[in-house]
Amino acid sequence: MSDVELVLRSTRVITPEGTRAASVEVADGRITAVQPYDAPVAEGARLEDLGDDVLLPGLVDTHVHVNDPGRTEWEGFWTATRAAAAGGITTLVDMPLNSLPPTTTVDNLRTKREVAADKAHIDVGFWGGALPDNVKDLRPLHEFGVFGFKAFLSPSGVDEFPHLDQDQLARSLAEIASFGGLLIVHAEDPHHLEAAPQQGGPKYADFLASRPRDAEDTAIAQLIAQAKRLDARVHVLHLSSSDALPLIAQAKADGVRLTVETCPHYLTLTAEEVPDGASEFKCCPPIRESANQDLLWQALADGTIDCVVTDHSPSTADLKTADFATAWGGISGLQLSLAAVWTEARRRGHGLEDVVRWMSSRTSELVGLDRKGAIEAGRDADFAVLAPDETFTVDPAALQHRNRVTAYAGKTLYGVVRSTWLRGERIVADGEFTEPKGRLLTRTD
Ligand SMILES: [Zn+2]
């Protein structure tokens, strides 16, 4: 074993066994031991005394639209990974759409990796995409190392990424199941969306009515049925409808291999507070009522929902028009996800351990990254150092996102990220970044 190079000492280290005072030893970018707080510092090792700031495992955000290459005016690897690092995230997994090309063939994945290689401030992995006509590409993408495949069951918002009908879903899912892969799904049923009133205009209530809960509930029920039939592993993306929770709980109880995520905006923002015309709050499925939100929190607490990811999906400001029907749908929140979720979690009586479980441990498990997601010997030395009781007011100008339109503007949030560490190196502290040190990850890493 190599000599200890670095010791991070804090009165509050979040470990799988709970929060305790500890000294975390690091060598060669890995955690080698979690020692008692006052353990002697090995000779030659550098001590970082964090005082009462909390040391937590770096967050793993498995749902980010980086849009690079092709729509880099919306975001890009340089800006997205800096924003993520500033928010305590040390690994992100990039969604296969909104970049051009989309990640739907091995060649396209190669292109994306080349673009990301020297811009990644944190570790970056890739999802592949399942389209109606790329079943033959799924296995090669899997073998090349994507973490799984994303499919839409209703129009995605971009022409180059068409959705799957039920037959196409069955075909793709059977192929993915044949090599033990994971399908992650945007679950809204297109027929229910078509049947809903499509009023358009600036009123949030009209937008909400256009994306009803039963569109989600129906698509999730169909997905569960297919997963059950094929014994396939599936994951529901960005769950918003609390009405789907009973059927999710039942499917899990029945042994269906199903996991579910939700997002900071569904947990911290409510339909009641969205001003008319404020399309920075538009995403699909939509932010729903506060009573719906309470049930999402309950489901997180009882494990029906597994994890929390940002679904960071920005665009340029001009696409965020005041008409909810035509405005770009996507919420920008990468840099703020930890603080936003922690602020609401805290108010509802949850601990930081819970936030770490939802935003780091479970997301690492979702993509099989055993070396991430916990502070324990053998894992990568990826950390966020957080002052959980300190507040800040969200100033869009202070965000590292390429576009600073955000639904969180002006909110006062708990949790200031003091620094973020990747494999034992401090990659950002107080707004100062090192050169990019992120790696491109594959499923077998
Ligand atoms: Zn998304």
Side-chain angles (χ1 to χ4, degrees), residues 94-330:
D94 175 55
M95 278 293 163
L97 74 157
N98 301 348
S99 60
L100 296 166
T103 319
T104 48
T105 67
V106 166
D107 276 352
N108 292 359
L109 175 57
R110 282 209 179 91
T111 302
K112 294 206 51 150
R113 289 177 63 93
E114 276 164 28
V115 166
D118 56 355
K119 297 181 190 152
H121 287 77
I122 63 169
D123 285 0
V124 172
F126 297 89
W127 295 108
L131 302 184
D133 64 355
N134 81 332
V135 175
K136 65 178 187 326
D137 295 299
L138 301 178
R139 186 182 289 265
L141 277 164
H142 175 77
E143 283 166 2
F144 202 87
V146 296
F147 286 90
F149 299 91
K150 178 176 195 180
F152 279 76
L153 301 182
S154 55
S156 73
V158 291
D159 294 339
E160 69 277 5
F161 205 97
H163 68 279
L164 305 183
D165 65 24
Q166 288 297 312
D167 288 343
Q168 292 160 340
L169 171 66
R171 262 204 305 281
S172 296
L173 190 54
E175 173 68 4
I176 291 166
S178 76
F179 51 74
L182 168 66
L183 182 71
I184 63 173
V185 179
H186 179 120
E188 284 183 291
D189 174 62
H191 309 294
H192 282 74
L193 295 179
E194 276 162 29
Q198 301 297 331
Q199 191 79 23
K203 287 219 178 322
Y204 190 76
D206 290 337
F207 171 62
L208 188 55
S210 76
R211 314 285 305 202
R213 298 184 195 197
D214 64 4
E216 278 192 76
D217 308 338
T218 301
I220 291 169
Q222 289 167 340
L223 179 66
I224 289 171
Q226 299 247 33
K228 207 173 196 172
R229 188 172 60 77
L230 294 163
D231 191 23
R233 194 173 154 232
V234 297
H235 176 75
V236 173
L237 297 163
H238 47 52
L239 178 74
S240 165
S241 167
S242 62
D243 291 354
L245 292 168
L247 66 115
I248 290 167
Q250 186 59 50
K252 288 185 163 191
D254 293 345
V256 178
R257 295 194 291 154
L258 169 71
T259 48
V260 178
E261 67 182 35
T262 190
C263 306
H265 36 276
Y266 302 128
L267 295 170
T268 68
L269 306 171
T270 61
E272 290 88 337
E273 73 184 286
V274 180
D276 286 347
S279 69
E280 64 269 30
F281 290 84
K282 177 182 174 181
C283 58
C284 299
I287 293 166
R288 302 189 190 277
E289 307 82 350
S290 66
N292 183 86
Q293 183 178 89
D294 291 343
L295 294 171
L296 296 180
W297 277 100
Q298 253 177 47
L300 264 177
D302 70 23
T304 306
I305 298 176
D306 298 274
C307 54
V308 180
V309 296
T310 59
D311 193 8
H312 177 70
S313 185
S315 73
T316 47
D318 59 304
L319 298 182
K320 285 294 202 182
T321 58
D323 184 335
F324 278 103
T326 52
W328 173 253

Side-chain angles (χ1 to χ4, degrees), residues 370-437:
D370 301 340
R371 56 194 294 172
K372 309 288 189 187
I375 297 180
E376 64 181 4
R379 308 252 186 171
D380 282 353
D382 296 354
F383 309 110
V385 177
L386 186 76
D389 304 317
E390 222 167 272
T391 61
F392 66 102
T393 300
V394 177
D395 172 9
L399 298 175
Q400 303 291 335
H401 309 151
R402 174 149 305 157
N403 290 284
R404 288 160 178 178
V405 175
T406 174
Y408 299 96
K411 294 225 175 255
T412 296
L413 301 178
Y414 279 91
V416 171
V417 176
R418 298 254 195 251
S419 62
T420 303
W421 299 65
L422 184 68
R423 281 186 295 277
E425 291 198 60
R426 184 165 32 207
I427 55 170
V428 57
D430 304 320
E432 296 291 324
F433 295 84
T434 60
E435 287 303 299
K437 293 181 190 298

